[in-house]
Amino acid sequence: MTYEELEKYLKAGRIACTTLNEAASYIRPGMKLIDVAEYIENRIESLGGKPAFPVNISINNIAAHYTPTPNDTSVIPEGSVVKIDVGVHVDGYIADTAITLTFNEEFKLLSEAAKTALERAVEAVAPGVRFSRVGRIVEDVIKSYGFKPIYNLSGHSIDRYTIHSGDVIPNYEDRLNLGSFRRGKVYAIEPFATNGRGHVKEGSTTAIYALKPNPKKIAKLDQTTREIFEHIYEDRKTLPFALRWYTRKFSLDQLESSMKILVSAGLAIAYPVLVEVSNGIVAQFEHTIVISDKGEEIITTRC
Ligand code: MN
Ligand code: MN
């Protein structure tokens, strides 16, 4: 990793950290999700970054992948548990970080379980350490609070312009996972804790998509769908996006029908919301770690 690359990771991390800290003191029950999302995404841009993905605002039993839809009228509910997951990129160098806001005393310990699991997990990250070792720490800490980790959600390696670049850092001791941390690489560690069964499934709403270019398939698209594809690809390449980002340029009807076409043609991937299978409440914390020649640096705590 070059000095310039490390600087860009550090800048992305600083922007993500600042944005998330500000969001944490700003968000209150009763606020509209769309306002929270726009506040966070605008802040990322005003600090000199770009969203690496639409901000995820996942409430209660929704573990991940909820972002406000274009006409979203929902608000942060009283007494809720809210995960704010922010991704920032600077020239494609990505920082990924999340916190849980708990507007209900009853779930403070659940949130603390995920937070402590993350703190212990990042302490253990070093070149040569097995991913499953970190998974075991996450699982042990969360279980010591009397909760379960979410077994089918995991941390991941990060590459330029690629949020999930292949390595899986489990949230339990997965003995089949033989991978280990390497110097020169970047990792997101993200424990999820729940009072439910510890698994997520796909829900019925999708608000996040990513494009998958294929020149042959693009040539067969209708005019409007091709225009939408090209406009979004110019902006995002293969990074995830939300339809609400493009409703100034295209009508929502157009966007929705074109996304259906793109997904079924294999030119786009849909990321449906992920809900806990037993409707358990979910808490999450996440940091991004760069392992450079100088050692391990948690880039999302420096602000
Ligand atoms: Mn994240
Ligand atoms: Mn992540």
Side-chain angles (χ1 to χ4, degrees):
M1 184 178 300
T2 67
Y3 175 77
E4 287 74 18
E5 287 175 313
L6 179 59
E7 282 298 301
K8 285 173 184 173
Y9 273 118
L10 289 171
K11 182 175 177 189
R14 211 155 41 230
I15 294 168
C17 175
T18 304
T19 304
L20 204 50
N21 279 353
E22 289 176 4
S25 50
Y26 158 89
I27 296 168
R28 293 281 176 275
M31 285 181 178
K32 286 175 72 180
L33 265 56
I34 190 103
D35 294 338
V36 172
E38 283 174 1
Y39 170 87
I40 290 172
E41 289 164 0
N42 289 338
R43 196 69 187 112
I44 290 170
E45 305 226 9
S46 73
L47 291 168
K50 291 206 171 84
F53 49 81
V55 60
N56 286 206
I57 307 173
S58 305
I59 295 168
N60 294 339
N61 61 320
I62 300 176
H65 292 178
Y66 189 82
T67 202
T69 53
N71 299 319
D72 210 308
T73 54
S74 54
V75 298
I76 306 279
E78 294 289 340
S80 58
V81 173
V82 182
K83 282 77 67 189
I84 307 287
D85 192 333
V86 166
V88 173
H89 82 87
V90 171
D91 194 24
Y93 299 93
I94 296 166
D96 184 3
T97 182
I99 51 168
T100 297
L101 304 175
T102 315
F103 300 110
N104 186 335
E105 281 301 314
E106 195 188 331
F107 301 116
K108 290 279 186 215
L109 267 186
L110 179 68
S111 176
E112 193 183 303
K115 190 174 193 217
T116 308
L118 177 60
E119 285 166 3
R120 295 285 144 71
V122 297
E123 282 169 15
V125 173
V129 171
R130 285 277 180 91
F131 298 148
S132 62
R133 165 86 193 126
V134 165
R136 183 185 170 154
I137 292 169
V138 167
E139 182 177 24
D140 284 351
V141 170
I142 291 173
K143 283 184 171 171
S144 76
Y145 280 85
F147 301 113
K148 286 184 178 167
I150 292 190
Y151 291 91
N152 59 342
L153 287 176
S154 53
H156 48 95
S157 54
I158 291 175
D159 274 333
R160 192 177 180 198
Y161 284 111
T162 307
I163 298 158
H164 290 227
S165 72
D167 290 330
V168 168
I169 295 107
N171 284 324
Y172 65 102
E173 186 180 22
D174 180 1
R175 290 169 190 272
L176 299 176
N177 184 324
L178 302 178
S180 52
F181 293 97
R182 301 264 171 248
R183 202 174 289 286
K185 292 197 72 173
V186 181
Y187 302 94
I189 312 289
E190 50 183 313
F192 289 80
T194 181
N195 60 0
R197 278 172 40 203
H199 287 272
V200 290
K201 61 175 183 193
E202 292 184 349
S204 52
T205 32
T206 295
I208 300 175
Y209 298 90
L211 296 178
K212 244 178 101 180
N214 178 324
K216 270 190 194 158
K217 289 177 180 171
I218 294 166
K220 290 182 194 154
L221 295 173
D222 64 89
Q223 171 88 34
T224 308
T225 304
R226 192 160 70 206
E227 227 179 277
I228 287 174
F229 182 98
E230 281 165 358
H231 179 78
I232 298 176
Y233 190 74
E234 172 71 24
D235 185 35
R236 298 301 291 169
K237 303 284 183 270
T238 55
L239 288 175
F241 61 90
L243 297 191
R244 61 185 159 78
W245 291 350
Y246 302 105
T247 47
R248 278 204 200 124
K249 175 121 178 129
F250 302 101
S251 79
L252 182 55
D253 281 353
Q254 261 175 354
L255 282 166
E256 281 175 342
S257 70
S258 289
M259 285 318 300
K260 271 190 197 135
I261 294 167
L262 291 171
V263 169
S264 63
L267 284 163
I269 309 161
Y271 294 102
V273 298
L274 298 173
V275 295
E276 211 286 325
V277 290
S278 56
N279 283 324
I281 300 293
V282 178
Q284 172 209 17
F285 282 84
E286 179 175 22
H287 279 311
T288 299
I289 303 182
V290 172
I291 309 184
S292 73
D293 292 336
K294 285 191 261 166
E296 304 82 48
E297 298 212 51
I298 307 172
I299 62 169
T300 43
T301 50
R302 299 164 145 249
C303 65

